[in-house]
Amino acid sequence: MSDLFDEPEGATPLDPDEREGLLLQWIETRADLNQAETANIEKGIVWAHRSRKAEILTEEFIRTLHKHMFGDVWAWAGQFRQTEKSVGVDPAAIAVDLRKLLGDVAYWMEHAIYPPDEIAMRLHRGLAWIHPFPNGNGRHARQMADMLARKLGQKPFSWGVGGVQSSAKTRETYIKSLRIADRDADFAALIAFARS
């Protein structure tokens, strides 16, 4: 089990208590964990597709989507984190900051403040910044952005899959473009990556 909790570059490490939430005893390596999470995420995406008419800009939906994406693997899926991380707001501020983000997104949509792709990327970046869950925040935020894009009449994003980059290079480009959005509030690189 030596590599099970070795996190890839840019990933959020789990605390020991969070690691105890692993539900599948057969998982011994990072590859096993990735396989189990991928299968669970695929089920979550199927659920999300069936829920496309639901009101997605609610705390309840955000928690439920995370639960559907990770609940077969992690006991804490769908529950806001209780611990500090190297990224994310203070755990006590998660619910308040999330309500503010969702209100902002609804306002941007109602008043067409930004183009649809930028609204979806601002939701994605906000969820990644708040970092509401112990893990799976980026994958969850990408699914939320895809769902919002569909609601805004756009195609879901490719998230760099259309390019010829390796997965390590794709992840590096994604994180770099997300940091530009964080630092400069410039979403052009993140939109370009997500649409590549």
mmCIF file with all atom_site columns, all heavy atoms in Angstrom, residues 37-54:
data_model
loop_
_atom_site.group_PDB
_atom_site.id
_atom_site.type_symbol
_atom_site.label_atom_id
_atom_site.label_alt_id
_atom_site.label_comp_id
_atom_site.label_asym_id
_atom_site.label_entity_id
_atom_site.label_seq_id
_atom_site.pdbx_PDB_ins_code
_atom_site.Cartn_x
_atom_site.Cartn_y
_atom_site.Cartn_z
_atom_site.occupancy
_atom_site.B_iso_or_equiv
_atom_site.pdbx_formal_charge
_atom_site.auth_seq_id
_atom_site.auth_comp_id
_atom_site.auth_asym_id
_atom_site.auth_atom_id
_atom_site.pdbx_PDB_model_num
ATOM 1   N N   . GLU A 1 37 ? -12.309 4.911  -8.498  1.00 0.00 ? 37 GLU A N   1
ATOM 2   C CA  . GLU A 1 37 ? -12.885 6.250  -8.614  1.00 0.00 ? 37 GLU A CA  1
ATOM 3   C C   . GLU A 1 37 ? -13.399 6.511  -10.024 1.00 0.00 ? 37 GLU A C   1
ATOM 4   O O   . GLU A 1 37 ? -14.473 7.107  -10.191 1.00 0.00 ? 37 GLU A O   1
ATOM 5   C CB  . GLU A 1 37 ? -11.853 7.310  -8.219  1.00 0.00 ? 37 GLU A CB  1
ATOM 6   C CG  . GLU A 1 37 ? -11.639 7.396  -6.729  1.00 0.00 ? 37 GLU A CG  1
ATOM 7   C CD  . GLU A 1 37 ? -10.750 8.545  -6.310  1.00 0.00 ? 37 GLU A CD  1
ATOM 8   O OE1 . GLU A 1 37 ? -9.952  9.050  -7.143  1.00 0.00 ? 37 GLU A OE1 1
ATOM 9   O OE2 . GLU A 1 37 ? -10.848 8.944  -5.143  1.00 0.00 ? 37 GLU A OE2 1
ATOM 10  N N   . THR A 1 38 ? -12.671 6.066  -11.029 1.00 0.00 ? 38 THR A N   1
ATOM 11  C CA  . THR A 1 38 ? -13.117 6.265  -12.410 1.00 0.00 ? 38 THR A CA  1
ATOM 12  C C   . THR A 1 38 ? -14.456 5.585  -12.657 1.00 0.00 ? 38 THR A C   1
ATOM 13  O O   . THR A 1 38 ? -15.364 6.176  -13.266 1.00 0.00 ? 38 THR A O   1
ATOM 14  C CB  . THR A 1 38 ? -12.053 5.758  -13.402 1.00 0.00 ? 38 THR A CB  1
ATOM 15  O OG1 . THR A 1 38 ? -10.849 6.534  -13.218 1.00 0.00 ? 38 THR A OG1 1
ATOM 16  C CG2 . THR A 1 38 ? -12.523 5.875  -14.837 1.00 0.00 ? 38 THR A CG2 1
ATOM 17  N N   . ALA A 1 39 ? -14.596 4.362  -12.183 1.00 0.00 ? 39 ALA A N   1
ATOM 18  C CA  . ALA A 1 39 ? -15.866 3.643  -12.351 1.00 0.00 ? 39 ALA A CA  1
ATOM 19  C C   . ALA A 1 39 ? -16.996 4.371  -11.628 1.00 0.00 ? 39 ALA A C   1
ATOM 20  O O   . ALA A 1 39 ? -18.108 4.504  -12.152 1.00 0.00 ? 39 ALA A O   1
ATOM 21  C CB  . ALA A 1 39 ? -15.737 2.205  -11.841 1.00 0.00 ? 39 ALA A CB  1
ATOM 22  N N   . ASN A 1 40 ? -16.715 4.869  -10.428 1.00 0.00 ? 40 ASN A N   1
ATOM 23  C CA  . ASN A 1 40 ? -17.731 5.593  -9.659  1.00 0.00 ? 40 ASN A CA  1
ATOM 24  C C   . ASN A 1 40 ? -18.085 6.915  -10.342 1.00 0.00 ? 40 ASN A C   1
ATOM 25  O O   . ASN A 1 40 ? -19.264 7.281  -10.440 1.00 0.00 ? 40 ASN A O   1
ATOM 26  C CB  . ASN A 1 40 ? -17.215 5.833  -8.242  1.00 0.00 ? 40 ASN A CB  1
ATOM 27  C CG  . ASN A 1 40 ? -18.305 6.185  -7.241  1.00 0.00 ? 40 ASN A CG  1
ATOM 28  O OD1 . ASN A 1 40 ? -18.038 6.203  -6.043  1.00 0.00 ? 40 ASN A OD1 1
ATOM 29  N ND2 . ASN A 1 40 ? -19.520 6.473  -7.671  1.00 0.00 ? 40 ASN A ND2 1
ATOM 30  N N   . ILE A 1 41 ? -17.084 7.625  -10.842 1.00 0.00 ? 41 ILE A N   1
ATOM 31  C CA  . ILE A 1 41 ? -17.326 8.892  -11.531 1.00 0.00 ? 41 ILE A CA  1
ATOM 32  C C   . ILE A 1 41 ? -18.201 8.670  -12.755 1.00 0.00 ? 41 ILE A C   1
ATOM 33  O O   . ILE A 1 41 ? -19.116 9.455  -13.027 1.00 0.00 ? 41 ILE A O   1
ATOM 34  C CB  . ILE A 1 41 ? -15.995 9.578  -11.900 1.00 0.00 ? 41 ILE A CB  1
ATOM 35  C CG1 . ILE A 1 41 ? -15.319 10.099 -10.624 1.00 0.00 ? 41 ILE A CG1 1
ATOM 36  C CG2 . ILE A 1 41 ? -16.212 10.709 -12.903 1.00 0.00 ? 41 ILE A CG2 1
ATOM 37  C CD1 . ILE A 1 41 ? -13.878 10.520 -10.812 1.00 0.00 ? 41 ILE A CD1 1
ATOM 38  N N   . GLU A 1 42 ? -17.947 7.608  -13.485 1.00 0.00 ? 42 GLU A N   1
ATOM 39  C CA  . GLU A 1 42 ? -18.771 7.298  -14.664 1.00 0.00 ? 42 GLU A CA  1
ATOM 40  C C   . GLU A 1 42 ? -20.236 7.104  -14.258 1.00 0.00 ? 42 GLU A C   1
ATOM 41  O O   . GLU A 1 42 ? -21.141 7.588  -14.947 1.00 0.00 ? 42 GLU A O   1
ATOM 42  C CB  . GLU A 1 42 ? -18.223 6.078  -15.394 1.00 0.00 ? 42 GLU A CB  1
ATOM 43  C CG  . GLU A 1 42 ? -16.931 6.364  -16.122 1.00 0.00 ? 42 GLU A CG  1
ATOM 44  C CD  . GLU A 1 42 ? -16.252 5.134  -16.692 1.00 0.00 ? 42 GLU A CD  1
ATOM 45  O OE1 . GLU A 1 42 ? -16.791 4.012  -16.586 1.00 0.00 ? 42 GLU A OE1 1
ATOM 46  O OE2 . GLU A 1 42 ? -15.160 5.293  -17.269 1.00 0.00 ? 42 GLU A OE2 1
ATOM 47  N N   . LYS A 1 43 ? -20.468 6.417  -13.146 1.00 0.00 ? 43 LYS A N   1
ATOM 48  C CA  . LYS A 1 43 ? -21.842 6.270  -12.641 1.00 0.00 ? 43 LYS A CA  1
ATOM 49  C C   . LYS A 1 43 ? -22.421 7.632  -12.259 1.00 0.00 ? 43 LYS A C   1
ATOM 50  O O   . LYS A 1 43 ? -23.597 7.909  -12.512 1.00 0.00 ? 43 LYS A O   1
ATOM 51  C CB  . LYS A 1 43 ? -21.868 5.333  -11.437 1.00 0.00 ? 43 LYS A CB  1
ATOM 52  C CG  . LYS A 1 43 ? -21.674 3.871  -11.772 1.00 0.00 ? 43 LYS A CG  1
ATOM 53  C CD  . LYS A 1 43 ? -21.538 2.992  -10.559 1.00 0.00 ? 43 LYS A CD  1
ATOM 54  C CE  . LYS A 1 43 ? -22.703 3.055  -9.615  1.00 0.00 ? 43 LYS A CE  1
ATOM 55  N NZ  . LYS A 1 43 ? -22.561 2.159  -8.454  1.00 0.00 ? 43 LYS A NZ  1
ATOM 56  N N   . GLY A 1 44 ? -21.606 8.466  -11.656 1.00 0.00 ? 44 GLY A N   1
ATOM 57  C CA  . GLY A 1 44 ? -22.054 9.806  -11.277 1.00 0.00 ? 44 GLY A CA  1
ATOM 58  C C   . GLY A 1 44 ? -22.413 10.653 -12.482 1.00 0.00 ? 44 GLY A C   1
ATOM 59  O O   . GLY A 1 44 ? -23.390 11.406 -12.449 1.00 0.00 ? 44 GLY A O   1
ATOM 60  N N   . ILE A 1 45 ? -21.653 10.517 -13.562 1.00 0.00 ? 45 ILE A N   1
ATOM 61  C CA  . ILE A 1 45 ? -21.939 11.275 -14.775 1.00 0.00 ? 45 ILE A CA  1
ATOM 62  C C   . ILE A 1 45 ? -23.243 10.805 -15.406 1.00 0.00 ? 45 ILE A C   1
ATOM 63  O O   . ILE A 1 45 ? -24.036 11.614 -15.901 1.00 0.00 ? 45 ILE A O   1
ATOM 64  C CB  . ILE A 1 45 ? -20.752 11.196 -15.751 1.00 0.00 ? 45 ILE A CB  1
ATOM 65  C CG1 . ILE A 1 45 ? -19.579 12.001 -15.173 1.00 0.00 ? 45 ILE A CG1 1
ATOM 66  C CG2 . ILE A 1 45 ? -21.132 11.701 -17.142 1.00 0.00 ? 45 ILE A CG2 1
ATOM 67  C CD1 . ILE A 1 45 ? -18.273 11.841 -15.928 1.00 0.00 ? 45 ILE A CD1 1
ATOM 68  N N   . VAL A 1 46 ? -23.501 9.505  -15.366 1.00 0.00 ? 46 VAL A N   1
ATOM 69  C CA  . VAL A 1 46 ? -24.777 8.982  -15.857 1.00 0.00 ? 46 VAL A CA  1
ATOM 70  C C   . VAL A 1 46 ? -25.917 9.578  -15.039 1.00 0.00 ? 46 VAL A C   1
ATOM 71  O O   . VAL A 1 46 ? -26.926 10.038 -15.588 1.00 0.00 ? 46 VAL A O   1
ATOM 72  C CB  . VAL A 1 46 ? -24.798 7.433  -15.815 1.00 0.00 ? 46 VAL A CB  1
ATOM 73  C CG1 . VAL A 1 46 ? -26.197 6.898  -16.048 1.00 0.00 ? 46 VAL A CG1 1
ATOM 74  C CG2 . VAL A 1 46 ? -23.832 6.861  -16.841 1.00 0.00 ? 46 VAL A CG2 1
ATOM 75  N N   . TRP A 1 47 ? -25.771 9.601  -13.713 1.00 0.00 ? 47 TRP A N   1
ATOM 76  C CA  . TRP A 1 47 ? -26.790 10.211 -12.856 1.00 0.00 ? 47 TRP A CA  1
ATOM 77  C C   . TRP A 1 47 ? -26.970 11.687 -13.204 1.00 0.00 ? 47 TRP A C   1
ATOM 78  O O   . TRP A 1 47 ? -28.099 12.178 -13.309 1.00 0.00 ? 47 TRP A O   1
ATOM 79  C CB  . TRP A 1 47 ? -26.406 10.060 -11.379 1.00 0.00 ? 47 TRP A CB  1
ATOM 80  C CG  . TRP A 1 47 ? -27.371 10.761 -10.484 1.00 0.00 ? 47 TRP A CG  1
ATOM 81  C CD1 . TRP A 1 47 ? -28.557 10.270 -10.004 1.00 0.00 ? 47 TRP A CD1 1
ATOM 82  C CD2 . TRP A 1 47 ? -27.267 12.109 -9.991  1.00 0.00 ? 47 TRP A CD2 1
ATOM 83  N NE1 . TRP A 1 47 ? -29.184 11.231 -9.237  1.00 0.00 ? 47 TRP A NE1 1
ATOM 84  C CE2 . TRP A 1 47 ? -28.417 12.358 -9.219  1.00 0.00 ? 47 TRP A CE2 1
ATOM 85  C CE3 . TRP A 1 47 ? -26.307 13.110 -10.133 1.00 0.00 ? 47 TRP A CE3 1
ATOM 86  C CZ2 . TRP A 1 47 ? -28.626 13.579 -8.578  1.00 0.00 ? 47 TRP A CZ2 1
ATOM 87  C CZ3 . TRP A 1 47 ? -26.516 14.323 -9.508  1.00 0.00 ? 47 TRP A CZ3 1
ATOM 88  C CH2 . TRP A 1 47 ? -27.679 14.547 -8.737  1.00 0.00 ? 47 TRP A CH2 1
ATOM 89  N N   . ALA A 1 48 ? -25.854 12.402 -13.392 1.00 0.00 ? 48 ALA A N   1
ATOM 90  C CA  . ALA A 1 48 ? -25.928 13.825 -13.723 1.00 0.00 ? 48 ALA A CA  1
ATOM 91  C C   . ALA A 1 48 ? -26.662 14.040 -15.042 1.00 0.00 ? 48 ALA A C   1
ATOM 92  O O   . ALA A 1 48 ? -27.480 14.965 -15.158 1.00 0.00 ? 48 ALA A O   1
ATOM 93  C CB  . ALA A 1 48 ? -24.521 14.418 -13.794 1.00 0.00 ? 48 ALA A CB  1
ATOM 94  N N   . HIS A 1 49 ? -26.389 13.190 -16.016 1.00 0.00 ? 49 HIS A N   1
ATOM 95  C CA  . HIS A 1 49 ? -27.058 13.330 -17.311 1.00 0.00 ? 49 HIS A CA  1
ATOM 96  C C   . HIS A 1 49 ? -28.567 13.146 -17.155 1.00 0.00 ? 49 HIS A C   1
ATOM 97  O O   . HIS A 1 49 ? -29.353 13.864 -17.770 1.00 0.00 ? 49 HIS A O   1
ATOM 98  C CB  . HIS A 1 49 ? -26.488 12.334 -18.319 1.00 0.00 ? 49 HIS A CB  1
ATOM 99  C CG  . HIS A 1 49 ? -27.024 12.526 -19.695 1.00 0.00 ? 49 HIS A CG  1
ATOM 100 N ND1 . HIS A 1 49 ? -26.695 13.610 -20.474 1.00 0.00 ? 49 HIS A ND1 1
ATOM 101 C CD2 . HIS A 1 49 ? -27.881 11.792 -20.425 1.00 0.00 ? 49 HIS A CD2 1
ATOM 102 C CE1 . HIS A 1 49 ? -27.331 13.533 -21.627 1.00 0.00 ? 49 HIS A CE1 1
ATOM 103 N NE2 . HIS A 1 49 ? -28.051 12.441 -21.626 1.00 0.00 ? 49 HIS A NE2 1
ATOM 104 N N   . ARG A 1 50 ? -28.961 12.212 -16.322 1.00 0.00 ? 50 ARG A N   1
ATOM 105 C CA  . ARG A 1 50 ? -30.395 11.992 -16.068 1.00 0.00 ? 50 ARG A CA  1
ATOM 106 C C   . ARG A 1 50 ? -31.007 13.154 -15.290 1.00 0.00 ? 50 ARG A C   1
ATOM 107 O O   . ARG A 1 50 ? -32.217 13.350 -15.316 1.00 0.00 ? 50 ARG A O   1
ATOM 108 C CB  . ARG A 1 50 ? -30.603 10.698 -15.286 1.00 0.00 ? 50 ARG A CB  1
ATOM 109 C CG  . ARG A 1 50 ? -30.323 9.459  -16.097 1.00 0.00 ? 50 ARG A CG  1
ATOM 110 C CD  . ARG A 1 50 ? -30.620 8.220  -15.293 1.00 0.00 ? 50 ARG A CD  1
ATOM 111 N NE  . ARG A 1 50 ? -30.246 7.040  -16.028 1.00 0.00 ? 50 ARG A NE  1
ATOM 112 C CZ  . ARG A 1 50 ? -29.689 5.970  -15.498 1.00 0.00 ? 50 ARG A CZ  1
ATOM 113 N NH1 . ARG A 1 50 ? -29.468 5.913  -14.195 1.00 0.00 ? 50 ARG A NH1 1
ATOM 114 N NH2 . ARG A 1 50 ? -29.369 4.953  -16.248 1.00 0.00 ? 50 ARG A NH2 1
ATOM 115 N N   . SER A 1 51 ? -30.173 13.901 -14.589 1.00 0.00 ? 51 SER A N   1
ATOM 116 C CA  . SER A 1 51 ? -30.648 15.012 -13.750 1.00 0.00 ? 51 SER A CA  1
ATOM 117 C C   . SER A 1 51 ? -30.483 16.356 -14.436 1.00 0.00 ? 51 SER A C   1
ATOM 118 O O   . SER A 1 51 ? -30.530 17.395 -13.778 1.00 0.00 ? 51 SER A O   1
ATOM 119 C CB  . SER A 1 51 ? -29.850 15.024 -12.437 1.00 0.00 ? 51 SER A CB  1
ATOM 120 O OG  . SER A 1 51 ? -29.970 13.796 -11.772 1.00 0.00 ? 51 SER A OG  1
ATOM 121 N N   . ARG A 1 52 ? -30.283 16.364 -15.736 1.00 0.00 ? 52 ARG A N   1
ATOM 122 C CA  . ARG A 1 52 ? -29.945 17.613 -16.431 1.00 0.00 ? 52 ARG A CA  1
ATOM 123 C C   . ARG A 1 52 ? -31.025 18.683 -16.328 1.00 0.00 ? 52 ARG A C   1
ATOM 124 O O   . ARG A 1 52 ? -30.744 19.850 -16.538 1.00 0.00 ? 52 ARG A O   1
ATOM 125 C CB  . ARG A 1 52 ? -29.564 17.343 -17.872 1.00 0.00 ? 52 ARG A CB  1
ATOM 126 C CG  . ARG A 1 52 ? -30.654 16.792 -18.743 1.00 0.00 ? 52 ARG A CG  1
ATOM 127 C CD  . ARG A 1 52 ? -30.107 16.492 -20.149 1.00 0.00 ? 52 ARG A CD  1
ATOM 128 N NE  . ARG A 1 52 ? -31.129 15.902 -20.973 1.00 0.00 ? 52 ARG A NE  1
ATOM 129 C CZ  . ARG A 1 52 ? -31.345 14.607 -21.111 1.00 0.00 ? 52 ARG A CZ  1
ATOM 130 N NH1 . ARG A 1 52 ? -30.601 13.761 -20.444 1.00 0.00 ? 52 ARG A NH1 1
ATOM 131 N NH2 . ARG A 1 52 ? -32.288 14.154 -21.888 1.00 0.00 ? 52 ARG A NH2 1
ATOM 132 N N   . LYS A 1 53 ? -32.249 18.309 -16.004 1.00 0.00 ? 53 LYS A N   1
ATOM 133 C CA  . LYS A 1 53 ? -33.310 19.310 -15.858 1.00 0.00 ? 53 LYS A CA  1
ATOM 134 C C   . LYS A 1 53 ? -33.399 19.830 -14.423 1.00 0.00 ? 53 LYS A C   1
ATOM 135 O O   . LYS A 1 53 ? -34.174 20.738 -14.138 1.00 0.00 ? 53 LYS A O   1
ATOM 136 C CB  . LYS A 1 53 ? -34.652 18.729 -16.307 1.00 0.00 ? 53 LYS A CB  1
ATOM 137 C CG  . LYS A 1 53 ? -34.670 18.456 -17.799 1.00 0.00 ? 53 LYS A CG  1
ATOM 138 C CD  . LYS A 1 53 ? -36.020 18.028 -18.272 1.00 0.00 ? 53 LYS A CD  1
ATOM 139 C CE  . LYS A 1 53 ? -35.945 17.789 -19.781 1.00 0.00 ? 53 LYS A CE  1
ATOM 140 N NZ  . LYS A 1 53 ? -37.219 17.449 -20.363 1.00 0.00 ? 53 LYS A NZ  1
ATOM 141 N N   . ALA A 1 54 ? -32.610 19.272 -13.542 1.00 0.00 ? 54 ALA A N   1
ATOM 142 C CA  . ALA A 1 54 ? -32.629 19.695 -12.135 1.00 0.00 ? 54 ALA A CA  1
ATOM 143 C C   . ALA A 1 54 ? -32.018 21.083 -11.992 1.00 0.00 ? 54 ALA A C   1
ATOM 144 O O   . ALA A 1 54 ? -31.233 21.535 -12.829 1.00 0.00 ? 54 ALA A O   1
ATOM 145 C CB  . ALA A 1 54 ? -31.843 18.690 -11.291 1.00 0.00 ? 54 ALA A CB  1
#
